[in-house]
Amino acid sequence: MSANLIPLLWEATLQTLWMVAVSSVLGALGGLPLGVFLATSQRGELLGAPWINKILGLVVNATRSVPFIILVVAIIPFTRLIAGTSIGTNAAMVPLTLAAIPFIARLVENAIREVDQGLIEAARAMGATPLQIIARVLIPEALPSITLGLTLAVVSLIGYSAMVGAVGGQGLGDLGIRYGYQRFMPEVMAAVVVILIVLVQLVQSLGEWIAARVDRRAPRNRVL
């Protein structure tokens, strides 16, 4: 591989990291509260709002059912409205964030529903309000599962960030397509794949480590 391509790989890696980092943060900011609400708003639950729950559930399911590459193309007018353009790193963050929010919401919902209902009933018996139960019981108990869910979301976004290269997004996917595919440079494609694998492994390992650290049920020597 030519030494001239190394700066391009470095720049593309930084672009991918930037896209994934920003969309992960924005996705978590939208997905976490949405997931908590979905997990606590069915009939008879803490925030009991079944009709709103059903409507939001339909929206989440509809968004998740659309293949990512189709979502990117379908929301190009919205992307232009938000980012001022439909190509480049900033534009790619819009579909990445929209894909991340419902994905994270469902992961958070599932994590919270796994919490022992006896803990909720005990907190209710002690006079805790719904918001107190959510903040002091549900979220702390579900935190390891939420952390693993966020890790899965970030890993998925790394893959999605490569897809946006096919429609004008920058980053490793764009570099692999322009050089590895269109210019018949398999060494570039191989380098892009290796970098993506390394990024996924690093994110997965970090997420599992954090999940073990925040798991109050785990013995301390398990996470050392």
Side-chain angles (χ1 to χ4, degrees), residues 152-177:
L152 177 60
V154 175
V155 168
S156 297
L157 286 175
I158 292 175
Y160 289 163
S161 72
M163 290 186 200
V164 296
V167 288
Q170 294 175 317
L172 291 168
D174 176 60
L175 186 68
I177 291 172

Side-chain angles (χ1 to χ4, degrees), residues 6 48 50 72 76 79 87 91 93 102 122 149 160 166 184 219:
I6 295 178
V72 173
I76 283 178
T79 300
I87 59 175
M93 294 177 191
Y160 289 163
F184 303 101

